[in-house]
Amino acid sequence: MRALLESVRPHVMRRCARVLPFHQDAEDACQEALLTIATKLGSYEGRGSFAGWSAAVATNAARAAYRTMSRRFAETGTSDLPEHADPRTTSVVAGTRLDLLDALDRLERDHPAAARAFVLRDLAELSYADIAAQLDVPIGTVKARIHTARGHVRENLRPAGNLSRPPRI
């Protein structure tokens, strides 16, 4: 198990870092994903590649971490944040990624089947064949779901520069 987790860790960390813009957040999500891989390895049914399955686990862990941070932000508000972001310590792409995660949450609520296909393709970067195998649907269905999801996400992304919450510092 240790050798397996050590071999997939870089792959899992890259996936988490693609979703979460701050290294420590991505590291925490990576640890959660590795724990999930270790405890749920028996549930891997062999549909699709193991790399694809672990990428989906990593993406889901990163999204769960984001939802937790978002909930905490909503509860505590902006009182602990500085009035102006310091550009030296603020990620330029953070707003874009956070917008995407918010749009994904809306997609998951409105079109759960499309959300799963979208996450596997655009975040976990699985092939259409791997996605079809994991979801147990035809490739045409996968493509249709991804098309629906991309349109929904595109509509729900906030325009650049219009952040309803300040970037995390």
Side-chain angles (χ1 to χ4, degrees), residues 92-107:
V92 173
V93 296
T96 304
R97 291 187 196 169
L98 297 179
D99 283 354
L100 174 62
L101 291 170
D102 286 340
L104 272 173
D105 284 344
R106 286 188 290 282
L107 174 64

Side-chain angles (χ1 to χ4, degrees), residues 80-95:
D80 294 338
L81 296 174
E83 195 169 312
H84 299 288
D86 182 348
R88 295 171 299 165
T89 59
T90 302
S91 171
V92 173
V93 296

Side-chain angles (χ1 to χ4, degrees), residues 1 4-5 33-47 50 53 57:
M1 181 62 71
L4 173 68
L5 294 177
L34 292 172
L35 179 62
T36 300
I37 289 170
T39 58
K40 305 280 183 171
L41 188 57
S43 71
Y44 171 61
E45 298 172 348
R47 292 188 314 206
F50 179 76
W53 179 76
V57 169

Side-chain angles (χ1 to χ4, degrees), residues 99 102-111 152 156-157:
D99 283 354
D102 286 340
L104 272 173
D105 284 344
R106 286 188 290 282
L107 174 64
E108 199 164 52
R109 183 185 62 237
D110 298 342
H111 304 283
H152 192 275
N156 283 287
L157 286 174

